Amino acid sequence: MAAMRMKWLVMAVLSGAAASATGADLKVLSGNGARAAVLGLTASFDRATGNKTTVEFAVNPDTRAKILGGQVFDVAILNPPVLDELIQRGRIVADTRAVIGRAGIGVGIREGSSKPDISTVASFKRTLLSAKAVAYPAQGASGKYFVSLLERLGISDQMKPRLRPMPGEYNVEMVASGEADLAVSVTSRISGVPGVQLVGRIPQELQTWIGFTAGVGSQAREPILARAMLRYFTRPEAAGMLKANGVEPFVE
C-alpha cells in the first residue's frame, strides 16, 4: 500500500514530465539557511523519481551573484527579497515562485553541553554575556538581525570581543569544534549539524522570521522536472521533514 501511494504521488508531482526525463541531473542553488531541509527534500525527490540532484550552497548574496553572473541552474532556493529581485530581472520564472517555509532565530550549543536559559529576554541577555565566544553568520539576514539585536539589548559594546562573525557555511560548526560556546542563527541552519544541539528559539519579543522561497531558473536545463520538484517540496507530506529540520511550513 505504501509503495502504491508513493508511485501515485510521484506520478502526481511529475504530472506531464516525460518518462524519458527521469534519471536526469538537476542543479539546485540554495542559500545556507535551510541547508538540512533542502538536502532532505532533494534526497527524497531523487529517491522517488530516479533523478540525481546536485545542491550548491552559499550565502544569499553570493548565490544571487552567481545567478546574475549567468550560472545555469534548475531551481533556486533563497530568501524572498532575493528571489523576487531575480524574478524581476528575468532570471527566475515568475509563475514558479513557491514558498517552502520560514524559520526563526535560535541558539545552538555543543552536543552534550548543559542547555542555557534563553526563555526570557533577561535570561537570553545573561546567556550571551556569559559566553566566551558567540558565532554567527557574518553575511545574510539572520546575522545582520543578530547584530541589530545586540544594539537593541544595549550590549553591543560588551559583546564585541566575544563575537565571531563567520562565513555562512561554517558559523554553526564552530560550536561543534569548540571554537565558540554559542551559535546564533536561523534554527534551520542549526538543525542537522553534527555535534551541535538546538537550545531553542530566542524569546518571542525578540524574534524575527526568515523566509525560504524557490523558483525555476529561466534557463533551466530540466524545466519540467524543476517544476515537479517544487510541487514535491510544497506538498502537504513534506511538512514533517521541514519541521524536523527547523523549517515551519508557511503561507504568505
Side-chain angles (χ1 to χ4, degrees):
M1 183 65 71
M4 290 182 63
R5 175 174 173 76
M6 176 56 74
K7 182 178 180 181
W8 176 87
L9 177 61
V10 171
M11 293 298 293
V13 297
L14 291 176
S15 62
S20 60
T22 58
D25 292 337
L26 291 97
K27 180 65 173 290
V28 173
L29 299 181
S30 177
N32 278 306
R35 179 188 291 261
V38 171
L39 289 174
L41 289 170
T42 53
S44 177
F45 180 79
D46 287 352
R47 287 193 299 270
T49 62
N51 296 294
K52 180 182 178 182
T53 302
T54 300
V55 187
E56 188 174 308
F57 291 101
V59 293
N60 274 254
D62 288 352
T63 300
R64 171 185 175 276
K66 291 176 185 178
I67 292 173
L68 292 177
Q71 185 164 338
V72 177
F73 64 97
D74 295 295
V75 169
I77 303 173
L78 296 160
N79 298 146
V82 180
L83 190 92
D84 292 341
E85 181 204 355
L86 293 170
I87 288 174
Q88 292 174 359
R89 288 175 174 257
R91 303 305 175 96
I92 291 176
V93 181
D95 70 358
T96 66
R97 186 185 189 277
V99 178
I100 304 297
R102 65 178 188 173
I105 305 298
V107 174
I109 59 173
R110 192 171 187 176
E111 192 171 17
S113 300
S114 298
K115 286 190 175 183
D117 184 4
I118 61 168
S119 61
T120 67
V121 174
S123 62
F124 176 55
K125 187 174 176 179
R126 284 195 300 270
T127 293
L128 290 174
L129 290 171
S130 66
K132 293 180 181 178
V134 179
Y136 71 98
Q139 294 179 293
S142 62
K144 292 177 180 178
Y145 181 77
F146 177 55
V147 171
S148 71
L149 191 59
L150 296 177
E151 295 176 357
R152 178 177 161 189
L153 291 171
I155 58 173
S156 184
D157 289 340
Q158 292 167 275
M159 289 299 300
K160 278 181 182 178
R162 312 165 199 265
L163 296 180
R164 302 293 185 269
M166 298 298 296
E169 64 273 15
Y170 187 66
N171 64 96
V172 176
E173 286 75 4
M174 285 192 72
V175 171
S177 67
E179 298 171 79
D181 306 305
L182 307 174
V184 179
S185 185
V186 284
T187 56
S188 53
R189 177 65 181 88
I190 297 170
S191 297
V193 176
V196 179
Q197 61 178 326
L198 177 67
V199 177
R201 290 202 295 258
I202 65 174
Q204 186 60 39
E205 303 97 305
L206 305 176
Q207 190 59 260
T208 192
W209 295 93
I210 307 296
F212 305 112
T213 48
V216 174
S218 56
Q219 302 299 317
R221 292 194 176 103
E222 300 287 349
I224 296 176
L225 280 173
R227 286 175 180 264
M229 174 179 276
L230 293 188
R231 289 194 292 274
Y232 191 85
F233 285 3
T234 55
R235 75 200 195 286
E237 291 86 347
M241 180 176 291
L242 289 171
K243 290 178 179 178
N245 289 290
V247 179
E248 293 190 7
F250 177 65
V251 177
E252 288 182 327

